Amino acid sequence: MTRTLMAAALAATTALVTPVVAQERGGTLNFARYDGSRLIDPIYADRNPDIWMVGSLFDTLLRSSDDGKSIVGGLAEGFEVSEDGKTVTLMLQSGLKFADGSALEADDVLFSLDRARNGDLGPWSGMLGSVSDVTADGSTITVSLSQPDPTILSMLATFNTAIVNKDVFEAAEGATDQEKSAAIFATASAGVGSGAFYVCGFEQGASMDFCANEHHWEMGADGKSLPYLDKVHFDIIPDDATRILKLQAGEVDAVEFVPFSRVAELDADPAINMNLYPSTRIIYSPINTRESRADGSANPLKDVRVRQAINYATNKDALIGLVLQGAGQPMTAPLMSSSTRLASKLDLYSYDMNKAKALVKEAGIEAGTKVILTTLAGSSDDATIFAALQQMWAPLGIDLVVEQVDGATRGAKNRSGEFDIHTYGWVDDVNDPSQVTGWLGYSPVRSAVGTGWESAKFNELFEASGKEMDQAARAQQYAEMQDIYAEAAPLLFMYETPFAVAVSTAVDGYVQTPLGANIFSRATVSK
Amino acid sequence: MAGLQYVLKRLALMVPTFVLVMIIIFLLVRLLPGDPAIAIAGDKASDADLAAIREKLGLNDPLLVQFWLFFTNTLQGDLGRSIMMRTSVSSVIIERLPTTGFLALLAVTLSLLIAGPLAFVAALNRGKWPDTVIRTLFQVGLSMPVFYIGLILLTFLAAQLRWFPVGGSGDDFFGQLYYLFLPSMTVALYTSAIIMRNLRASIIEVLDAEYVQFARAKGLPNRLILGRHVLRNALISTITLLGLSIGNLMSGTLVTETVFAVPGLGRLMLEAIFARDYPLIQGLTLTFAILVSIVFLLTDLFQSLLDPRMRLT
């Protein structure tokens, strides 16, 4: 029996059944970003400012639904997974075109998926590790798997599997794939992607322009091709205060990454809509669980009771009030945000100082035990977290000391295990919990986010869940993994935060997805 | 002829300076904690990916090999490829240099326009209310961090009154003048406070000098005394200070260009440091060293024009 998961692309259906209505079109949306893109290529995008823009320029065969909880059609109008879970068949829409008007065909799909799973190229090839072959028959694409893979549909909806124009790519200057990719991006012209926009202007680190792709397949409410806008202009403004001033002065229409301390002020401005988009972003702190520190000294955090104690002693609601001005919620799923599929809803170390004190007493922690919290230098959020934790943990006899470093140093410390506890954050790249679960808990991958924690049972469950096609059984495996992880507390579980984007009231239809992608295809700016 | 010899000698002396700068910056960059491969590939990258990046960038080679490559390539005008920009360092610097250069020149001009007349007014009214008011105002300017002055100017003159843009840089001369006025003024307010204090003190000192008293006794007109004798002599130490200020101004662009969203060399340097972009940091440092050396040379030349006692040999 073949299990059909979806029959027709959502957008194509929408175009057929939605009555044609008057729709504002044209204009430029000016968007202020905190950091610029460097190379927007599906397989080379490795930083969020690149990853979150891929979807505007390149379409994937499948897509995540708007709420991020299911998979719907994209360039493929239908897809089927075979009963043994080892074959995925996808039917391409007819009449697809790239932004330069050339036809998007099966050859382009094969070329793109072969690129995506080539381990010698981009860093994301492992996400297609189960794919053994990709073939085409007319507009039917067959993806063969070496083993059943419950994540494959999500992977085919992920940015790294987006489709690029084979002919444009092969004709580009450069000796290597990466050089060709950089040359195409630097050229800033239509042709390589089939997304709603193409890059039509780029000044590294300063600005970027997206122009509308008039050949885009997706239809708007007026029955014409999306996007509604003619253009999106991006200014790169790293300073939070300047970015917000730009919006207040009317020089830009939208600003991202609004500091939470400014959310209430902007919310009160009648000319601004302060949007808090649900996200998969979690803020947590890995705890070094090794027997001893990197310098050989005794590690008080190796004792699970101490890790549990600091979790109990951390008043998450107070932290959310201090850092996020209330715009967040305590983590309830230990391995992911609560909006992610298969997330548990646990009472994850609600504040209980008595329990915390009992645990440290049981563990024999002496008063004045020194613990170092490594934070990001210059981050006001981290400074606030440190000040709060220092106060909260003092009754346990823990003398919390701060060590401020920059991002690259913190990353290196995480890998080498030269830390006690440090601030960290995560946003899912994939619409499936396997990525974040592997990152946080599966010890063969980066020692469970650098903590050194290892559980054979957890690893066994994770490996089994990677082949489990029965959704109920997989959900059970994830529930068990989350219970094990919560009990072991290799993290200080903190909170989930939304994406804070402030837009002018003239802007409508802009969305940032839970995975962080910026969606401009249905955005409009009133003239 | 002596002047030309002096310039050539100074230029020749710059060579060991630049070699020393290259050695220091090469070593300092590599002493920074943090792995450039992580900065490039991100925290989520696998160990294998990081190892491949290090190999590709030559970071696994011995330090001496890396330095020799950097040194010989630089001598041939090749500053390498930026890791984060994926393009040649020289082209990025050439692209950004005009913006920072314009900002610096405008800031210096504004500093002189502000500090010069007010220093004269303060010195000529020593101890009276104009002197007190001017000194107090500049003291306030001097005590405020540059980024704070910038934010105040941005909030009132750009966001509220909308006389200037909040950030960015223009395309042509007038566009740049419009966009870079506020960032230049921010730097100028700070720099002019230093220059004003120095110039005021110098003017007061020169006003009390015997040759000025003699000129007055001779009955020379006041305008001539101030222009020919006072200003010329008072400017000597101020020119030195101005040269040093321009050196400081280069580092000040790191803050100013970030606050005002100006895509110049200062902001680029900050991004390069955070991204551990070794070739770009090295290229930018060398560029700043060359610019500062040129400014110091020009300062010395200008001083010799003002003061015959400092004739070049």
Side-chain angles (χ1 to χ4, degrees):
Chain A
M1 187 184 75
T2 297
R3 189 157 48 98
T4 301
L5 295 173
M6 205 204 78
L10 183 69
T13 311
T14 306
L16 289 173
V17 301
T18 307
V20 174
V21 294
Q23 175 64 50
E24 187 160 16
R25 278 186 173 266
T28 299
L29 173 69
N30 293 296
F31 193 95
R33 304 180 72 192
Y34 79 106
D35 194 3
S37 297
R38 292 178 190 160
L39 177 61
I40 309 178
D41 178 301
I43 69 163
Y44 293 121
D46 51 14
R47 303 159 56 249
N48 285 340
D50 295 327
I51 293 170
W52 294 352
M53 289 293 167
V54 171
S56 289
L57 307 180
F58 302 91
D59 279 321
T60 42
L61 293 168
L62 305 176
R63 289 178 163 187
S64 295
S65 60
D66 287 346
D67 65 2
K69 298 207 170 186
S70 60
I71 301 297
V72 297
L75 292 174
E77 62 184 355
F79 55 90
E80 293 173 352
V81 179
S82 65
E83 190 178 3
D84 65 2
K86 291 175 73 172
T87 306
V88 181
T89 309
L90 304 112
M91 284 68 74
L92 279 182
Q93 291 187 53
S94 60
L96 291 170
K97 289 180 178 175
F98 288 105
D100 64 354
S102 61
L104 188 160
E105 295 169 333
D107 268 0
D108 300 301
V109 176
L110 301 190
F111 174 75
S112 303
L113 294 185
D114 283 346
R115 257 185 111 223
R117 64 196 185 94
N118 185 340
D120 295 331
L121 300 179
W124 305 102
S125 57
M127 286 159 60
L128 294 175
S130 62
V131 176
S132 58
D133 197 15
V134 185
T135 55
D137 180 10
S139 59
T140 302
I141 311 293
T142 304
V143 178
S144 305
L145 309 176
S146 55
Q147 62 179 50
D149 183 353
T151 70
I152 188 64
L153 295 180
S154 293
M155 297 309 170
L156 293 173
T158 301
F159 63 89
N160 67 313
T161 60
I163 307 306
V164 300
N165 189 328
K166 181 188 176 192
D167 293 340
V168 168
F169 219 91
E170 288 181 339
E173 281 182 25
T176 63
D177 187 271
Q178 191 165 22
E179 283 175 15
K180 284 174 181 286
S181 173
I184 291 168
F185 188 60
T187 309
S189 58
V192 72
S194 66
F197 296 91
Y198 63 92
V199 179
C200 56
F202 181 69
E203 191 183 343
Q204 183 82 264
S207 66
M208 180 167 72
D209 291 298
F210 284 178
C211 288
N213 167 13
E214 61 185 56
H215 302 289
H216 191 49
W217 57 272
E218 199 175 7
M219 295 296 148
D222 55 0
K224 295 177 190 167
S225 190
L226 285 174
Y228 297 130
L229 294 166
D230 288 337
K231 193 173 175 181
V232 184
H233 173 78
F234 301 97
D235 278 321
I236 315 307
I237 305 174
D239 188 78
D240 293 341
T242 310
R243 221 163 44 242
I244 291 169
L245 280 172
K246 273 265 194 196
L247 178 66
Q248 291 172 325
E251 290 179 26
V252 297
D253 305 302
V255 296
E256 64 177 358
F257 280 93
V258 173
F260 290 101
S261 58
R262 304 287 301 272
V263 165
E265 170 202 342
L266 295 179
D267 203 27
D269 189 329
I272 291 170
N273 286 329
M274 185 63 244
N275 297 323
L276 297 173
Y277 295 105
S279 85
T280 54
R281 188 168 183 234
I282 51 175
I283 304 297
Y284 61 91
S285 292
I287 302 171
N288 187 352
T289 66
R290 295 169 182 83
E291 279 298 307
S292 56
R293 290 174 165 129
D295 63 4
S297 62
N299 177 14
L301 300 171
K302 72 177 182 193
D303 191 322
V304 65
R305 292 167 296 187
V306 181
R307 300 199 297 271
Q308 289 173 338
I310 60 175
N311 267 291
Y312 278 123
T314 302
N315 187 334
K316 285 89 177 177
D317 289 321
L319 271 186
I320 290 166
L322 288 167
V323 181
L324 307 180
Q325 314 296 312
Q329 59 185 39
M331 282 178 71
T332 54
L335 283 163
M336 57 195 80
S337 81
S338 57
S339 65
T340 311
R341 282 186 292 159
L342 308 183
S344 292
K345 283 271 185 191
L346 303 179
D347 179 14
L348 198 58
Y349 296 99
S350 295
Y351 179 65
D352 189 335
M353 186 54 83
N354 290 333
K355 206 179 264 184
K357 283 180 177 172
L359 281 164
V360 290
K361 189 177 175 187
E362 199 182 308
I365 289 293
E366 291 174 8
T369 298
K370 191 173 152 188
V371 171
I372 299 172
L373 175 69
T374 305
T375 65
L376 273 187
S379 163
S380 58
D381 285 0
D382 278 16
T384 308
I385 289 170
F386 164 69
L389 293 182
Q390 192 181 43
Q391 297 293 317
M392 290 172 185
W393 296 356
L396 304 182
I398 290 176
D399 176 19
L400 192 67
V401 179
V402 72
E403 173 194 41
Q404 294 185 318
V405 298
D406 70 351
T409 308
R410 187 179 67 176
K413 279 176 170 283
N414 176 274
R415 281 173 191 267
S416 64
E418 293 171 72
F419 68 98
D420 285 350
I421 178 166
H422 71 75
T423 52
Y424 231 15
W426 170 273
V427 180
D428 289 357
D429 298 306
V430 183
N431 188 6
D432 187 90
S434 55
Q435 188 198 21
V436 65
T437 303
W439 169 256
L440 291 179
Y442 183 58
S443 56
V445 176
R446 293 280 310 283
S447 305
V449 69
T451 60
W453 177 76
E454 189 168 354
S455 159
K457 176 69 177 166
F458 184 100
N459 289 348
E460 189 185 303
L461 282 164
F462 182 73
E463 285 163 10
S465 72
K467 301 171 194 161
E468 181 57 69
M469 297 300 288
D470 182 277
Q471 289 302 307
R474 192 165 182 247
Q476 180 57 36
Q477 288 162 338
Y478 270 87
E480 278 186 56
M481 280 190 275
Q482 288 174 86
D483 286 341
I484 293 170
Y485 202 74
E487 178 70 19
L491 304 183
L492 174 66
F493 302 106
M494 293 203 279
Y495 47 77
E496 302 177 6
T497 78
F499 293 125
V501 183
V503 299
S504 144
T505 48
V507 175
D508 192 26
Y510 163 78
V511 173
Q512 187 166 16
T513 70
L515 302 185
N518 302 99
I519 309 294
F520 299 101
S521 59
R522 293 181 187 274
T524 57
V525 182
S526 298
K527 298 181 182 77
Chain B
M1 198 61 191
L4 183 65
Q5 277 181 344
Y6 176 80
V7 172
L8 290 174
K9 197 170 141 192
R10 283 292 302 270
L11 287 174
L13 277 173
M14 281 184 192
V15 174
T17 307
F18 292 148
V19 172
L20 199 63
V21 166
M22 286 166 77
I23 294 171
I24 291 171
I25 190 60
F26 178 85
L27 292 175
L28 277 183
V29 162
R30 278 153 185 83
L31 281 176
L32 281 175
D35 185 345
I38 296 176
I40 295 163
D43 287 339
K44 295 173 188 171
S46 68
D47 290 340
D49 289 335
L50 296 185
I53 290 171
R54 284 188 210 106
E55 187 61 35
K56 189 180 164 192
L57 297 177
L59 298 172
N60 292 331
D61 294 338
L63 268 188
L64 266 178
V65 173
Q66 290 184 49
F67 178 73
W68 183 246
L69 201 66
F70 164 58
F71 185 71
T72 50
N73 285 344
T74 304
L75 288 184
Q76 295 168 51
D78 177 10
L79 294 172
R81 281 180 75 80
S82 160
I83 296 169
M84 66 176 192
M85 300 281 195
R86 293 184 169 95
T87 184
S88 84
V89 168
S90 316
S91 66
V92 179
I93 291 175
I94 289 168
E95 194 180 295
R96 300 280 185 108
L97 185 59
T99 304
T100 300
F102 194 97
L103 193 154
L105 282 177
L106 187 56
V108 170
T109 309
L110 289 171
S111 301
L112 290 175
L113 287 176
I114 295 167
L118 290 176
F120 256 96
V121 172
L124 295 176
N125 294 281
R126 186 176 12 161
K128 298 177 186 166
W129 71 264
D131 183 29
T132 310
V133 169
I134 290 168
R135 286 168 62 198
T136 307
L137 284 177
F138 276 96
Q139 189 61 41
V140 172
L142 205 55
S143 59
M144 282 199 289
V146 172
F147 77 89
Y148 189 60
I149 297 175
L151 279 179
I152 291 173
L153 291 178
L154 275 179
T155 304
F156 291 105
L157 299 182
Q160 289 188 9
L161 297 173
R162 303 199 179 181
W163 290 353
F164 297 97
V166 171
S169 63
D171 296 326
D172 54 14
F173 175 80
F174 291 106
Q176 286 200 317
L177 196 62
Y178 177 56
Y179 274 91
L180 298 179
F181 184 83
L182 275 192
S184 302
M185 181 56 89
T186 302
V187 177
L189 284 178
Y190 183 82
T191 313
S192 61
I194 300 170
I195 294 173
M196 197 286 295
R197 285 168 66 89
N198 178 274
L199 189 56
R200 175 188 169 275
S202 298
I203 292 170
I204 289 171
E205 194 183 324
V206 175
L207 281 173
D208 291 339
E210 287 181 1
Y211 56 86
V212 173
Q213 302 298 334
F214 181 65
R216 284 193 201 287
K218 276 205 314 185
L220 284 178
N222 205 35
R223 201 170 52 184
L224 201 63
I225 294 171
L226 291 178
R228 185 181 292 175
H229 298 289
V230 177
L231 180 62
R232 187 171 173 151
N233 285 290
L235 271 179
I236 295 169
S237 66
T238 307
I239 291 294
T240 310
L241 190 67
L242 188 65
L244 290 171
S245 299
I246 293 173
N248 288 336
L249 193 146
M250 292 295 172
S251 57
T253 56
L254 264 75
V255 177
T256 319
E257 290 184 353
T258 302
V259 171
F260 285 91
V262 176
L265 295 180
R267 184 170 137 190
L268 189 63
M269 176 65 111
L270 212 59
E271 289 168 1
I273 291 169
F274 283 128
R276 296 292 190 276
D277 192 337
Y278 290 176
L280 192 51
I281 299 172
Q282 288 164 178
L284 284 166
T285 311
L286 204 58
T287 306
F288 280 127
I290 291 170
L291 290 175
V292 170
S293 297
I294 292 171
V295 167
F296 285 178
L297 176 62
L298 291 175
T299 305
D300 288 352
L301 290 174
F302 200 64
Q303 267 188 331
S304 74
L305 288 177
L306 290 172
D307 187 354
R309 291 170 300 181
M310 297 180 70
R311 283 284 178 250
L312 310 172
T313 55

